[in-house]
């Protein structure tokens, strides 16, 4: 018997600086249906939910007095093709939405037609740098990176092959960088 029987991710809650702009981007540009809206008591803000498929949701809080984001701390300062993607411990680095592998090349055009600055499709493989110019048998996921109006890092990702036991081959490192056996 497992400790907890997971069925997926119910929702991931992020923080928006402008809920109207967030709804315009996620519903209007990306096409995610808005499925639940909540006004928080005492004027504390709002909490909205978008359907991302398979019963999963992406949620946003809007707080009228929330501190401003700090790129490079609360989130990456860059897209992967523009500079370092490091963010602080405990931060959310990016959200990757699953898409069909046979449509991912088309989605670059869809995003750009909507005025969204995005990467070309990245072919992630098992090479030293983790990326291939070509789609090879070693490519395990293809993805596109972009940001929302608040600078939240987003990814459209398409698995290209099933993962197996050989895909778990690196030991974890502790805070000092030492391998934990």
């Amino acid at each position: 018997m497992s400790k907890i029987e997971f069925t997926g991710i119910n929702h991931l809650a992020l923080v928006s600086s402008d809920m109207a702009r967030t709804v315009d981007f996620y519903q209007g540009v990306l096409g995610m249906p808005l499925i639940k809206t909540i006004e928080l008591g005492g004027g504390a803000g709002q909490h909205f939910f978008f359907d991302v498929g398979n019963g999963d949701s992406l949620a946003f809080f809007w707080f009228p007095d929330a501190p401003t984001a700090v790129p490079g701390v609360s989130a990456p300062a860059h897209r992967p093709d523009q500079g370092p993607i490091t963010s602080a411990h405990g931060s959310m680095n990016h959200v990757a939405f699953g898409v069909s592998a046979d449509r991912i090349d088309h989605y670059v055009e869809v995003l750009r037609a909507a005025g969204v600055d995005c990467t070309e499709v990245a072919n992630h493989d098992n090479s030293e740098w983790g990326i291939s110019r070509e789609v090879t048998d070693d490519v395990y996921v293809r993805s596109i990176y972009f940001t929302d109006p608040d600078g939240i890092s987003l990814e459209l990702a398409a698995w290209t092959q099933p993962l197996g036991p050989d895909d778990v081959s690196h030991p974890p490192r502790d805070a000092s960088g030492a391998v934990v056996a």
Side-chain angles (χ1 to χ4, degrees):
M1 177 158 91
S2 66
K3 293 180 182 180
I4 299 172
E5 294 181 21
F6 294 100
T7 61
I9 294 178
N10 181 282
H11 69 276
L12 172 65
L14 306 173
V15 179
S16 165
S17 66
D18 180 325
M19 191 64 86
R21 186 177 66 179
T22 295
V23 170
D24 182 55
F25 183 78
Y26 286 89
Q27 183 172 260
V29 173
L30 299 183
M32 293 180 186
L34 183 62
I35 58 171
K36 177 70 176 169
T37 62
I38 300 166
E39 285 289 328
L40 302 176
Q46 295 182 311
H47 194 29
F48 283 22
F49 294 76
F50 297 87
D51 182 352
V52 298
N54 296 321
D56 301 327
S57 301
L58 182 66
F60 286 88
F61 282 104
W62 170 77
F63 303 115
D65 56 355
T68 303
V70 181
V73 177
S74 55
H78 308 288
R79 283 191 335 217
D81 64 327
Q82 296 173 330
I85 60 167
T86 305
S87 58
H89 300 147
S91 68
M92 196 238 15
N93 189 272
H94 69 277
V95 178
F97 302 106
V99 297
S100 174
D102 65 349
R103 301 284 294 158
I104 194 159
D105 291 297
H106 173 68
Y107 292 145
V108 171
E109 298 168 24
V110 170
L111 290 168
R112 290 184 178 155
V116 177
D117 183 28
C118 65
T119 66
E120 295 295 329
V121 177
N123 300 306
H124 301 276
D125 66 6
N126 293 307
S127 67
E128 179 182 1
W129 297 104
I131 200 95
S132 171
R133 289 186 188 276
E134 307 290 323
V135 178
T136 67
D137 290 343
D138 199 36
V139 171
Y140 56 89
V141 69
R142 301 186 72 218
S143 59
I144 304 164
Y145 298 92
F146 55 103
T147 59
D148 84 349
D150 278 312
I152 295 170
S153 295
L154 304 174
E155 176 185 5
L156 299 182
W159 294 112
T160 60
Q161 57 183 272
L163 301 178
D166 292 342
D167 290 299
V168 180
S169 59
H170 302 89
R173 296 182 184 271
D174 67 14
S176 73
V179 172
V180 177

